[in-house]
Amino acid sequence: GEALVPVANCDVKEYNSNPKEQLPFKEYVEYWREYIRNGYHSSRGCLYLKDWHLSRAFPELDVYTTPVYFSSDWLNEYWDAVAVDDYRFVYMGPKGSWTPFHADVFRSYSWSANICGRKKWLLYPAGQEEFLKDCHGNLPFDVTAPDLRDKRIYPRYGRSQPPLEIIQESGEIVFIPSGWHHQVYNLEDTISINHNWVNGCNVAVMWCFLQDELAAVQREISLWKDPMDDRHLQCQLIMKSCTGIDYKEFYNFLKVIAENRISVLEKGLDEESLSQNNSKAAISTLGMLHAVFDLKRTVKVLSSLSANEDFRKLDLTSLSPSPEALLHHLEAAIDTALL
């Protein structure tokens, strides 16, 4: 009850999101009960507990197990390894709470499991968001707003496809592909578990997203009058502040994922490790061929990163092992595993 949780006000727009505050969990539950008693109205607005890192805050509780279909999860495997962050969230909100139009972090996949309640999803396949941008290139806050039909503001809206609409019931899980923009409504009082995740099937999409993000920063900085000697470093810094990762950290991300798979291929896991609910146990459960598949995908993206001009401008001496050495190690591990 004393745990501080992030709570968004769904009735207020702040930039392209809802403003958040930290509340004790018990206070939020009291608010929610009062909100229901008052016919889903409150002077405080419609408050939505979202992006709560419950698993990270209370690891000893082991409150749920990730479904096997989503267990190849490089994103959370990496953040667990560096013990900095994670992308596992609990959402709790009353009827009428909602999440504005967006695509997920790093253009990752996401899955959302309804513990109770019902949600309505509006989903646009990747690429459709281009038709939903206004005349300044900005995406809408609310994709159902009447303004979108104003051709002076949203000149290409008429070319967009209608969204895919899903009603998600209690006990159902929705999978969101990479780059699919979406907007979500709670049709009833709802509790859900949400993960963002990346694996061998979409890590190349993540790499393309990072290149696009850096290019956008470079375009902005090119408008500055005074050139900078460390322009490439400033671009990496700005990109990391906006997206949460830069090229060096992306290299370390690939390294951790690859080394975990090599470890499993070379050493396997003992019975105690296999019984644990962690990343290495998940890799082992998926099997040797899956580990090899992951290594092959890592090699492909790492080769592209190593050859990238912006990556090569950075001081790579701090990276251990070097990109060339890591690539050689991965290729040797793949060859050995396939013998």
Side-chain angles (χ1 to χ4, degrees), residues 4-16:
L4 289 177
V5 294
V7 175
N9 189 335
C10 297
D11 293 342
V12 179
K13 178 181 176 182
E14 188 175 82
Y15 300 104
N16 232 31

Side-chain angles (χ1 to χ4, degrees), residues 155-202:
R156 295 198 289 169
Y157 176 74
R159 295 166 58 188
S160 65
Q161 297 175 6
L164 174 66
E165 184 173 318
I166 295 173
I167 302 298
Q168 180 189 12
E169 304 289 346
S170 175
E172 293 184 338
I173 300 177
V174 169
F175 164 72
I176 310 300
S178 290
W180 282 45
H181 285 67
H182 49 283
Q183 189 162 305
V184 192
Y185 300 88
N186 289 325
L187 302 178
E188 300 174 354
D189 300 291
T190 302
I191 299 174
S192 65
I193 298 168
N194 298 50
H195 281 208
N196 297 115
W197 53 304
V198 170
N199 61 27
C201 295
N202 69 336

Side-chain angles (χ1 to χ4, degrees), residues 248-263:
K248 277 192 175 182
E249 182 147 38
F250 185 60
Y251 171 83
N252 286 324
F253 165 74
L254 295 174
K255 180 185 79 166
V256 167
I257 298 305
E259 289 179 344
N260 282 349
R261 277 137 194 79
I262 290 172
S263 174

Side-chain angles (χ1 to χ4, degrees), residues 112-295:
S112 178
N114 268 8
I115 305 306
C116 61
R118 301 170 76 229
K119 291 181 187 287
K120 181 172 82 170
W121 295 74
L122 301 178
L123 301 125
Y124 285 86
Q128 281 293 305
E129 73 280 358
E130 293 300 321
F131 301 119
L132 304 175
K133 291 179 177 178
D134 66 16
C135 52
H136 303 292
N138 300 313
L139 288 168
F141 172 72
D142 177 0
V143 80
T144 68
D147 287 355
L148 269 77
R149 290 167 178 78
D150 188 335
K151 291 183 179 180
R152 294 168 299 176
I153 305 174
Y154 293 93
R156 295 198 289 169
Y157 176 74
R159 295 166 58 188
S160 65
Q161 297 175 6
L164 174 66
E165 184 173 318
I166 295 173
I167 302 298
Q168 180 189 12
E169 304 289 346
S170 175
E172 293 184 338
I173 300 177
V174 169
F175 164 72
I176 310 300
S178 290
W180 282 45
H181 285 67
H182 49 283
Q183 189 162 305
V184 192
Y185 300 88
N186 289 325
L187 302 178
E188 300 174 354
D189 300 291
T190 302
I191 299 174
S192 65
I193 298 168
N194 298 50
H195 281 208
N196 297 115
W197 53 304
V198 170
N199 61 27
C201 295
N202 69 336
V203 65
V205 176
M206 179 181 178
W207 170 225
C208 287
F209 167 73
L210 293 179
Q211 292 174 83
D212 289 343
E213 287 294 292
L214 182 62
V217 172
Q218 290 169 337
R219 284 194 298 273
E220 289 292 325
I221 284 192
S222 68
L223 301 176
W224 296 3
K225 291 182 179 179
D226 298 324
M228 298 176 293
D229 293 335
D230 62 348
R231 178 177 177 272
H232 62 289
L233 295 178
Q234 293 298 326
C235 287
Q236 291 284 330
L237 183 65
I238 294 170
M239 182 180 72
K240 185 167 185 176
S241 71
C242 293
T243 66
I245 196 170
D246 59 15
Y247 278 14
K248 277 192 175 182
E249 182 147 38
F250 185 60
Y251 171 83
N252 286 324
F253 165 74
L254 295 174
K255 180 185 79 166
V256 167
I257 298 305
E259 289 179 344
N260 282 349
R261 277 137 194 79
I262 290 172
S263 174
V264 169
L265 288 175
E266 292 178 349
K267 303 172 187 175
L269 287 176
D270 55 35
E271 290 299 318
E272 182 181 352
S273 297
L274 283 168
S275 67
Q276 295 176 358
N277 181 25
N278 60 30
S279 300
K280 285 196 174 182
I283 301 162
S284 184
T285 302
L286 290 167
M288 184 193 77
L289 289 179
H290 197 109
V292 172
F293 167 81
D294 283 355
L295 286 175

